[in-house]
Amino acid sequence: MSFKYSQIKISWHLTLVIIVFGLVILGVSLAQASWATLNKDINMDRFRINPVEFEIENSVTGGREIIKYNLPQISKVSGGFLYEVKKWRDNVWINISSRGDKRERANLYMLLADKKIAEMLVMSQSGNFKNEDLYEFGEMAVNFLEKAVETTTEMDNVIEASKIRHKVEGAKFFYEQLFRSVGELTGEIDKYGQLNQKLSNI
């Protein structure tokens, strides 16, 4: 007896679905791998490699004081396919962290807040920006910082929670100085004043 094999025809729709599904699986795998690398640093501080300095007046001595704050390295500012991929990756990180340690999640929110501030700083210095984009970065940073503090209230380890809240206070101080500067740059002092008010309420 002879057998006849009939060729299975796959439509281009199904082929496209299979390719997209494969890319999604690959993307999630890469995001999970990058999360594992990211999370090896307990405070995620090794990604904050760009020191930023600003000068303030010391209310006690009356002199000037240099303040330093370390921001993450930013390779791509808003716009384009790669930026959207990174946003998607960050959302995967948030999803993964929600299933793990609260400390990890709080530190991730802080890192994402600092990333938005770094994007805001880079874009404001480029001279090529839209006011609404800068404000959106600032608003997102404040929201992430707020989520970091909320997460610390759920932590069992009081000492670790206290350490994170202390870091948040340092971030708030730096963000406040930057928001004032950007408010003057864009002519939206009142708008950024409201953002600083939201920041102070955290």
Side-chain angles (χ1 to χ4, degrees), residues 58-78:
N58 190 309
S59 58
V60 178
T61 64
R64 307 296 290 178
E65 183 180 355
I66 299 295
I67 303 296
K68 289 185 179 180
Y69 191 84
N70 293 322
L71 289 173
Q73 176 72 43
I74 298 298
S75 58
K76 186 70 178 173
V77 185
S78 182

Side-chain angles (χ1 to χ4, degrees), residues 47-160:
F47 297 92
R48 297 178 172 92
I49 59 176
N50 281 346
V52 179
E53 293 184 356
F54 59 95
E55 193 176 54
I56 63 168
E57 184 177 344
N58 190 309
S59 58
V60 178
T61 64
R64 307 296 290 178
E65 183 180 355
I66 299 295
I67 303 296
K68 289 185 179 180
Y69 191 84
N70 293 322
L71 289 173
Q73 176 72 43
I74 298 298
S75 58
K76 186 70 178 173
V77 185
S78 182
F81 175 72
L82 286 179
Y83 183 78
E84 294 302 319
V85 169
K86 288 186 176 182
K87 280 176 60 178
W88 176 81
R89 178 206 60 193
D90 291 348
N91 287 330
V92 172
W93 282 352
I94 291 172
N95 184 265
I96 294 173
S97 70
S98 67
R99 303 193 296 266
D101 193 300
K102 293 290 192 300
R103 174 192 55 79
E104 295 172 357
R105 191 173 199 189
N107 278 317
L108 174 61
Y109 279 137
M110 276 211 68
L111 180 63
L112 294 178
D114 281 350
K115 282 180 65 178
K116 291 304 171 186
I117 289 296
E119 290 178 17
M120 180 189 223
L121 186 59
V122 169
M123 183 174 281
S124 67
Q125 292 177 339
S126 71
N128 181 25
F129 59 82
K130 294 179 180 178
N131 289 359
E132 55 268 27
D133 290 339
L134 288 181
Y135 187 81
E136 184 181 1
F137 285 146
E139 199 169 34
M140 291 176 70
V142 173
N143 290 339
F144 278 133
L145 214 57
E146 194 171 34
K147 289 179 179 179
V149 173
E150 287 174 359
T151 305
T152 62
T153 63
E154 303 170 6
M155 291 172 59
D156 296 326
N157 191 322
V158 179
I159 295 175
E160 286 297 325

